[in-house]
């Protein structure tokens, strides 16, 4: 009531200023001048600030914000403006945000004024990177409001939306958009043959994701796209996430137990075709996968060498996602005595904040959560993992099982092994759905069989590297899953068979549980990991 009365006492010019700028969460003098088109916008803003009219200057000294009560009143005042005036204001908001590559608020502004051609142009410019932060329900709702004719005028936007539908696991909608793209190409015979090839080739590139982590089939479609396209892909900007937000390449693309050697060879063969049409998107992925495999097999020196090669390749194309995957492996290697450069999580987070990419920020959180969980420092684990609120985060469907695996490691660090066991069945089903080769299909009988064998498991005092090694043929193929080596420890932990000092710091994967037969030298020199 008091706020509304204060607005009514202002001059019409200042009321209009409040009505227009009340739509923004934060704004600067430059933004206020552009959106209100008032030549004296700065004087009006400073006067309102001096009058304590619920307008606050932020600590950076340049930005301003309305109090939430003032903002509500301003929004009601804006709703009273004529519809053409409202549309003009939203259009100016859209242009302001788009010029500064703040694509999500720009998209919202263009939708508000009904300019769907401008909105689809923003989607093309964003290439789906920031669009990934929207949940599936919201994305489908927005897409449902967009006229079909407008979509047909923007085939590149259709391709971007196809990819987003895949990451949201909305496959029927993805195929519906594919049919719409093909119709748009047919209805425009005037399109140059080169452009038609680019559109259909990029469609093949996006369809390759339906063969996710079947490297042979993905490579077939990548080669088809490479033959048709004469320009880099538009929908796969090389600044986007290559691992769908996961910190590990191996965990995402290792598909079939016993086939690791074959899959690594295919990665080395097919990735150059993918790099060619995506301007090096994911550059170094095959090296990271190879390095992680060497790490899991206990070949630490080879892992370190491959890791450094991957860092160089990733840096050459500005692949921040791959750089984070390298950081994840480097931190795990450091826990196995392969010391590297000190890692500063706060500095890394500050650098990522400048990129405005929420996927990379979530990826860094997952790395931090896993690392500190291994060290037993649960107080340093990011809040979303420490408080087990992963359901509140919009992860890509393909990487959610990975995030839940990291959450299990946090549960273990918090001394809640029973929580881990209670979630095994559900997580196993998710892993099977996405063909995660590191957790092969197990029947209920095999679960019980492993539980019944607890009494025959090795005792904590024995050398883990000898007692936990698997058949020699795993050296080239990782015959056993990378996760199941720790489950017997979970059961023994729950049964009280393993002292907490021996248990703490043991990993669900990769902090010492080595898969594959290590070399004879490694077997002779291996010792138990020190407790953290």
């Amino acid at each position: 009531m008091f706020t509304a009365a204060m607005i009514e006492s202002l001059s019409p010019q200042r009321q209009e200023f409040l009505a227009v700028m009340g739509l923004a969460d934060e704004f600067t003098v430059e933004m206020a001048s552009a959106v209100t088109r008032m030549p004296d916008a700065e004087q009006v803003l400073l006067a309102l600030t001096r009058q304590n009219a619920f307008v606050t200057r932020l600590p950076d000294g340049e930005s301003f914000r309305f109090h939430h009560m003032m903002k509500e009143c301003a929004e009601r005042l804006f709703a009273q403006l004529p519809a053409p005036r409202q549309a003009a204001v939203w259009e100016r908001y859209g242009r302001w945000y788009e010029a500064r590559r703040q694509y999500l608020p720009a998209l919202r502004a263009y939708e508000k004024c009904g300019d769907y051609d401008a909105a689809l142009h923003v989607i093309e410019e964003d290439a789906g990177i920031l669009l990934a932060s929207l949940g599936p329900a919201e994305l489908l709702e927005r897409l449902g409001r967009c006229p079909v004719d407008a979509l047909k005028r923007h085939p590149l936007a259709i391709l971007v939306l196809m990819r987003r539908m895949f990451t949201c696991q909305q496959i029927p909608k993805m195929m519906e958009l594919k049919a719409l793209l093909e119709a748009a190409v047919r209805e425009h015979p005037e399109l140059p043959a080169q452009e038609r090839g680019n559109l259909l080739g990029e469609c093949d590139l996006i369809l390759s994701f339906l063969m996710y982590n079947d490297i042979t089939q993905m490579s077939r479609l990548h080669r088809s796209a490479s033959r048709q396209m004469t320009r880099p892909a538009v929908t796969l900007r090389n600044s986007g996430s290559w691992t769908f937000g996961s910190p590990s390449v191996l965990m995402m693309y290792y598909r079939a137990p016993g086939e690791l050697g074959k899959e690594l060879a295919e990665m080395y063969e097919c990735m150059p075709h993918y790099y060619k049409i995506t301007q090096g998107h994911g550059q170094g992925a095959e090296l990271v996968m190879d390095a992680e495999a060497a790490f899991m097999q206990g070949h630490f020196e080879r892992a370190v060498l491959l890791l450094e090669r991957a860092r160089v390749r990733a840096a050459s194309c500005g692949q921040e996602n791959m750089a984070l995957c390298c950081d994840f492996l480097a931190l795990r290697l450091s826990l196995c005595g392969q010391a590297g450069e000190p890692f500063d999580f706060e500095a890394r987070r500050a650098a990522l904040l400048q990129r405005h990419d929420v996927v990379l920020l979530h990826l860094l959180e997952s790395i931090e959560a896993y690392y500190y969980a291994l060290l037993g420092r649960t107080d340093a684990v990011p809040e979303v993992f420490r408080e087990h609120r992963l359901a509140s985060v919009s992860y890509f469907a393909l990487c959610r099982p990975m995030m839940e695996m990291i959450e299990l490691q946090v549960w273990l660090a918090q001394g809640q092994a029973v929580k881990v066991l209670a979630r095994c069945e559900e997580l196993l089903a998710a892993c099977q759905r996405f063909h995660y080769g590191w957790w092969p299909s197990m029947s209920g009988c095999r679960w019980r069989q492993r539980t019944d064998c607890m009494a025959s498991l090795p005792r904590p005092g024995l050398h883990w590297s000898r007692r936990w090694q698997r058949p020699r043929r795993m050296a080239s193929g990782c015959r056993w899953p990378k996760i199941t080596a720790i489950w017997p420890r979970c059961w023994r932990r729950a049964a009280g068979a393993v002292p907490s000092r021996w248990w703490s710091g043991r990993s669900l994967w990769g902090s010492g549980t080595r898969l594959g037969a290590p070399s004879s030298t490694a077997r002779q020199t291996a010792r138990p990991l020190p407790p953290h």
Side-chain angles (χ1 to χ4, degrees), residues 391-505:
S392 66
V393 181
S394 180
Y395 294 117
F396 289 133
L398 291 173
C399 89
R400 183 167 285 278
M402 179 62 53
M403 297 298 145
E404 292 176 358
M405 280 302 310
I406 293 173
E407 184 184 28
L408 294 191
Q409 187 66 52
V410 176
W411 279 119
L412 290 178
Q414 293 171 336
Q416 298 289 334
V418 173
K419 300 281 189 182
V420 175
L421 295 177
R423 288 160 174 75
C424 288
E425 296 281 352
E426 184 179 349
L427 185 53
L428 174 59
C431 293
Q432 291 173 333
R433 187 165 62 251
F434 294 127
H435 306 288
Y436 276 29
W438 44 266
W439 197 334
S441 180
M442 292 183 183
S443 65
C445 176
R446 292 184 65 188
W447 280 105
R448 290 192 296 273
Q449 180 183 19
R450 288 179 180 274
T451 309
D452 294 339
C453 290
M454 285 164 47
S456 64
L457 294 174
R459 307 308 301 168
L462 298 177
H463 295 300
W464 61 267
S465 62
R466 298 183 185 181
R467 301 294 294 183
W468 288 98
Q469 71 183 39
R470 299 301 185 190
R472 195 172 285 274
R473 71 193 188 93
M474 292 164 24
S476 62
C478 274
R479 172 63 180 84
W480 282 68
K482 292 183 279 297
I483 301 301
T484 52
I486 194 62
W487 291 128
R489 295 178 184 170
C490 294
W491 289 317
R492 295 170 65 215
R493 170 63 169 172
V498 180
S500 59
R501 60 182 172 80
W502 184 85
W503 171 260
S504 63

Side-chain angles (χ1 to χ4, degrees), residues 86 94 104 155 207 281 283 370 447:
Q86 292 184 37
L104 288 183
L207 291 176
H281 181 229
Q283 187 72 248
Y370 184 73
W447 280 105

Side-chain angles (χ1 to χ4, degrees), residues 38-220:
M38 294 182 180
D40 59 343
E42 182 174 6
Q43 288 73 24
V44 172
L45 180 57
L46 294 177
L48 289 171
T49 305
R50 285 194 298 269
Q51 293 174 9
N52 194 27
F54 294 91
V55 183
T56 305
R57 186 191 292 267
L58 298 182
D60 64 5
E62 297 181 357
S63 302
F64 296 82
R65 178 188 294 158
F66 286 128
H67 188 278
H68 68 90
M69 290 192 297
M70 173 64 80
K71 187 173 173 62
E72 291 173 3
C73 292
E75 288 173 352
R76 286 197 294 269
L77 189 60
F78 180 80
Q80 298 173 13
L81 296 177
R85 172 68 173 150
Q86 292 184 37
V89 169
W90 280 119
E91 184 179 6
R92 289 198 290 272
Y93 266 111
R95 294 185 185 281
W96 169 268
Y97 286 126
E98 182 183 1
R100 285 147 187 83
R101 298 188 177 185
Q102 298 181 35
Y103 293 127
L104 288 183
L107 180 61
R108 175 176 175 268
Y110 285 136
E111 287 177 335
K112 287 285 188 179
C113 67
D115 191 347
Y116 283 98
D117 286 299
L120 291 169
H121 178 69
V122 164
I123 290 176
E124 293 172 355
E125 290 294 313
D126 174 49
I129 295 173
L130 298 179
L131 201 65
S133 63
L134 300 181
E138 182 180 358
L139 187 57
L140 285 170
E141 181 186 357
R142 289 186 168 193
L143 181 57
R145 294 197 297 262
C146 184
V148 173
D149 290 341
L151 279 169
K152 286 184 176 181
R153 291 194 295 270
H154 296 270
L156 289 178
I158 296 177
L159 290 170
V160 172
L161 291 167
M162 279 180 63
R163 183 165 177 255
R164 286 280 71 83
M165 290 299 107
F166 170 76
T167 55
C168 296
Q169 289 298 285
Q170 300 292 326
I171 307 304
K173 192 66 177 180
M174 175 185 178
M175 301 311 292
E176 182 182 324
L177 288 169
K178 173 182 176 290
L180 188 64
L181 173 70
E182 292 171 342
V185 172
R186 285 195 306 271
E187 292 172 10
H188 292 84
E190 73 279 2
L191 280 175
Q194 188 178 66
E195 183 58 22
R196 294 166 67 90
N198 286 329
L199 292 172
L200 297 176
E202 191 154 355
C203 183
D204 279 349
L205 174 62
I206 295 169
L207 291 176
S208 72
F209 294 118
L210 293 175
M211 309 298 175
Y212 166 71
N213 85 8
D214 185 341
I215 300 173
T216 302
Q217 293 301 319
M218 292 185 77
S219 180
R220 178 179 61 81

